[in-house]
Amino acid sequence: MLYRRAGIFHTSYAHDRALFPIPFERRAMWALLAVALAAPWIFSSLALSSYIRPWLIWTSAVLGLNLVLGWAGQFHFGYAAIMGMGAYASVHAARNGIPWEIAVVLGGLTATGVGVVFAFAALRVKGLYLALSTLAMQFVMDWVISHVPAISGGVSATLQAPPMKLLGQAITSEVGTYYVVLAWTVAVTVFMLNLRRSALGRALVAVREKDYAAAVIGVQAFRYKLVAFAASAFIGGVSGAMLIFGFYHAVTPEQFAVNVSIEVLAMVIVGGLGSIIGSFFGTAFILLLPGQMNELISAIARAVGADIGVETLAHIPYMIYGASIIAVLLIEPMGLGKLYGNIRNYLMVWPFGYVRK
Amino acid sequence: MDWMYFLELAVNGALAGLMYALVAIGIVLIYKSSSVPNLAQGALTMVGPYLVLAFAGQVGLSMWVAIPLAMLSMFVLGVAIERIALRRLAGQPIVMILMMTLGLDIFLRATALTFWGGSGRNMAIGISDAPLFVGPLLVNRAYAIGAAVTLVLFAISVFFFRTRMGVVLRAIADDYTASWSVGISVERGVALSWALSAVAATAAGVLWGSVQTVDQSLSLLLLKGITVGVLGGLDSIGGALLAGLLLGILENVASGYLDPLLGGGTRELVVAAVLILTIMVRPHGLFGRHDIERI
């Protein structure tokens, strides 16, 4: 209906390669961007700082993981370690007086270095064994981060992060931080959107589908696996830095422990492999749903008069988190992005359902 | 170098390693029959002893009734997991199967904690704390009994694989399609392997629960179970036993010497390093079938 097109009339190559060939989607994108820019005036400051900002930051990280998992098809169970290295490097750099912009890029580059180490596993094995070895590397990185005083400042230490600074101007307001975060997320999203139609993106997809076949047609599987790990690590590192500067304001080792890796992975899978809009949905689903459900449950318990212990209440979000992963995988294994795709495909030809192939 | 200290570390490590093998056997059983890497084994290892404690504490049964009852419930849980969650994912990419087992892991762990709370509980199965000396060596009595139980369970499983149902499981593990075509119900076999590994997880959980306490940390046995499984070869049950011994010795000795130098916590590090090195050097493990694809 909304998406309907009366035929395809491309008159130029540029038109054919457009990011959003369907007018409705193009307009929806501009509308969304306008809402995002006006968000400080639309939403309450609580919603902005405790829901929307973390959602944007995590989405950028999830897009980075999707690059390696959804596009290149390489398992990566140690993404939190990468984000952590980026965060620690940038915080250290910023504390030592390096300008904030350069500190964040340094964080990204450090993360890239660590990401390349993870890639060495990918050059040796694939599939399940790659998953397990990256998981083990995450454990090693956990240990390194928490036990090397030069990185974390000692076991269970907390490093305070200096405020964000753009061109020497400190950004301390909620709204200012939100815009910095939004800019980064939009940049990553635009990069990922364009990846789909670039040579690099097609090479990654070729490697994902069958690396032998990719090698046969002249795509160097090794090289592109390395590129995928490095690029996603850069995005992850900067996102980790954004997470610290823009949300937590202090960095501790457990912010990037193994369960965080699993959580980012869950966001990618629940959102849908290789789906950009799915990354946004998946992050919102995993990040925001358990808390909302928890409030709902405690509200119901209060209304009924049942007494739920504090400890029980603390574990319920994890139960919902696990159950929602299971539910999404059972209902739509390709994730929430695919659900959106189904609706889009349906509306594209509605009411002429038989047109669909 | 103090040889007595070394030997003591090695012996206790070996005994603990046999108990790791019990966790690994569950992973191996499921992987062998259905090629599903079960990352929920840690949660199963944690839910088992919680069930035992629930039967013994809240219902008030004797420990020796509670344990078989818990094993029975875990058998049913294993079948249910396979039937509800895993069967529908057959044929999907492996990343979804991995994510499903991780989701199960999170869900089971959180459910156990929601119902029974996170504080550590004692699992009293009547092992005394009195020191046990074998010659001049001080051996942990709980480890020794755990290792003995593991060996007995392993012997039982060897006999089980000679029964009719065991042969069916072996056939499924050997060739999926061929066993299907001769009329073996592959689904039932896979469900049985889930049930058996849930029972093995209960045994491992009860033994570890009596060594430490029953709390969330039992689910961390997953990493050790996986490492033992991979080191022994993910489709070799005998390999799991030997790899358990090896990993136990290596972990205990290495952490015994490295902990004072590096400030503690090297146990996990050694295990993770063994996992990485195994995958890099010999992905099919010591006794696994050599059909790992490399490019």
Side-chain angles (χ1 to χ4, degrees), chain A residues 75 124 129 143 147 212 225 311, chain B residues 95 118 264-265 280 283 294-295:
Chain A
F75 294 129
R124 281 289 278 161
Y129 290 85
W143 190 89
H147 281 76
Y212 284 127
K225 281 180 185 178
E311 198 186 352
Chain B
V95 62
M280 292 297 141
R294 277 192 210 166
I295 59 117

Side-chain angles (χ1 to χ4, degrees), chain B residues 176-247:
Chain B
Y176 230 86
T177 349
S179 31
W180 217 321
S181 59
V182 294
I184 291 171
S185 169
V186 173
E187 293 93 337
R188 270 176 60 194
V190 172
L192 180 69
S193 68
W194 269 92
L196 288 180
S197 68
V199 171
T202 315
V206 168
L207 290 175
W208 275 109
S210 68
V211 171
Q212 42 184 75
T213 52
V214 178
D215 60 2
Q216 204 176 0
S217 66
L218 279 179
S219 63
L220 296 178
L221 285 169
L222 173 69
L223 180 67
K224 285 164 183 169
I226 290 238
T227 309
V228 169
V230 170
L231 181 61
L234 267 178
D235 49 8
S236 159
I237 291 181
L241 204 64
L242 191 72
L245 275 177
L246 272 177
L247 183 78

Side-chain angles (χ1 to χ4, degrees), chain A residues 69 75 77 120-133 135-137 139-140 143-144 147 155 210-212 221-222 225 262 265-267 269-270 273 311-313 315-316 318-323 325-327 329-331 333-334, chain B residues 31 37 39 84-86 88-89 92-100 102-104 106-107 110-111 113-115 117-119 216 220 223 226 230 233-234 262-266 268-269 272-273 275-276 279-284 292-295:
Chain A
L69 197 68
F75 294 129
F77 277 41
F120 280 119
L123 303 182
R124 281 289 278 161
V125 285
K126 59 187 186 184
L128 167 65
Y129 290 85
L130 177 57
L132 294 182
S133 59
L135 189 65
M137 282 192 212
F139 276 101
V140 174
W143 190 89
V144 169
H147 281 76
V155 178
K210 195 82 198 156
D211 36 18
Y212 284 127
F222 280 126
K225 281 180 185 178
I262 308 287
L265 193 70
M267 289 173 186
I269 307 260
V270 165
L273 291 172
E311 198 186 352
T312 310
L313 213 54
H315 292 301
I316 288 178
Y318 291 99
M319 226 167 106
I320 295 166
Y321 164 45
I325 294 173
I326 297 172
L329 282 173
L330 285 180
I331 296 165
M334 292 309 290
Chain B
Y31 189 80
L39 298 183
I84 296 168
L86 266 301
R88 294 177 59 175
L89 278 189
Q92 295 286 353
I94 189 165
V95 62
M96 292 170 188
I97 294 172
L98 276 173
M99 200 64 231
M100 172 58 91
L102 281 174
L104 279 170
I106 294 163
F107 179 71
T111 310
L113 291 178
T114 307
F115 282 123
S119 51
Q216 204 176 0
L220 296 178
L223 180 67
I226 290 238
V230 170
L234 267 178
L262 293 175
T266 51
E268 305 284 307
L269 191 67
L275 180 54
I276 295 174
I279 290 174
M280 292 297 141
V281 178
R282 203 177 155 87
H284 52 287
I292 313 295
E293 237 187 312
R294 277 192 210 166
I295 59 117

Side-chain angles (χ1 to χ4, degrees), chain A residues 188-210:
Chain A
V188 175
T189 311
V190 169
F191 170 73
M192 295 298 286
L193 281 170
N194 281 295
L195 189 67
R196 264 203 294 221
R197 50 179 191 173
S198 68
L200 172 66
R202 280 194 295 273
L204 291 180
V205 170
V207 171
R208 172 186 75 193
E209 293 302 327
K210 195 82 198 156

